[in-house]
Amino acid sequence: MTYRVCLVCMGNICRSPMAEVVLRQTLTDRGLGDRVTVESAGTGGWHVGDPMDERALTILEQHGYDGAAHRARQFTRDWFDRYDLVLAMDRDNLANLRRIAPSGVEVQLFRAFDPAAEEGAEVPDPYYGGREGFEEVLALVESASEGVAKHIADEID
């Protein structure tokens, strides 16, 4: 049985695809890659079909990750049935997901699994900034991915 995770941000071209690539690698490094599927999506649909933001892709590549295959998708209500874990990058997208979630479905913040993060910590949107914002996002998702991987390992073992 495959455990399925979806990471969600606004447009699915910066934060959530970066987190998808990093979490997938983290899980692979821990021997869980064949038991977990990691995907990402956005709450908005204006980038559907677009590749990852070039700045995000460049930062990932410079740190040894490959995000070239990514294409943006939009998360819809019927997707909740597909996933065991749905994680939002920020409180706005968390609220958007909770608004459409079926009764009893829990959605959490991605950084809730980062032991170094304060309660309610978010992954900030780097879209309107420069390189440093994308570097910050990478550092945050790398840190949180460790905790998410531990959580998933506990869930499936």
Side-chain angles (χ1 to χ4, degrees), residues 14 18 21-22 52-67 126 130-139 141-142:
C14 297
M18 289 178 77
V21 169
V22 170
M52 190 182 307
D53 183 286
E54 190 62 40
R55 299 166 295 175
L57 186 60
T58 298
I59 294 299
L60 285 173
E61 288 174 347
Q62 290 173 348
H63 290 270
Y65 298 101
D66 181 8
R131 176 185 175 84
E132 63 283 345
F134 289 89
E135 288 281 1
E136 177 187 15
V137 167
L138 179 59
V141 300
E142 285 179 331

Side-chain angles (χ1 to χ4, degrees), residues 3 5 23 27 32 36 38 85 147-157:
Y3 190 91
V5 181
L23 179 58
L27 291 163
L32 299 170
V36 183
V38 181
L85 184 62
V148 174
K150 182 182 180 319
H151 171 78
I152 292 170
D154 292 345
E155 287 286 307
I156 62 178
D157 284 338

Side-chain angles (χ1 to χ4, degrees), residues 10 14-15 90 123-129 137:
M10 185 75 64
C14 297
R15 295 173 289 174
D90 61 41
V123 178
D125 190 349
Y127 186 78
Y128 293 105
V137 167

Side-chain angles (χ1 to χ4, degrees), residues 5-8 12 16-17 20 38-42 70-71 73 79:
V5 181
C6 191
L7 310 172
V8 184
N12 194 220
S16 60
E20 173 188 350
V38 181
E39 298 176 347
S40 66
H70 176 77
R71 293 298 176 266
R73 304 177 319 149
W79 285 25

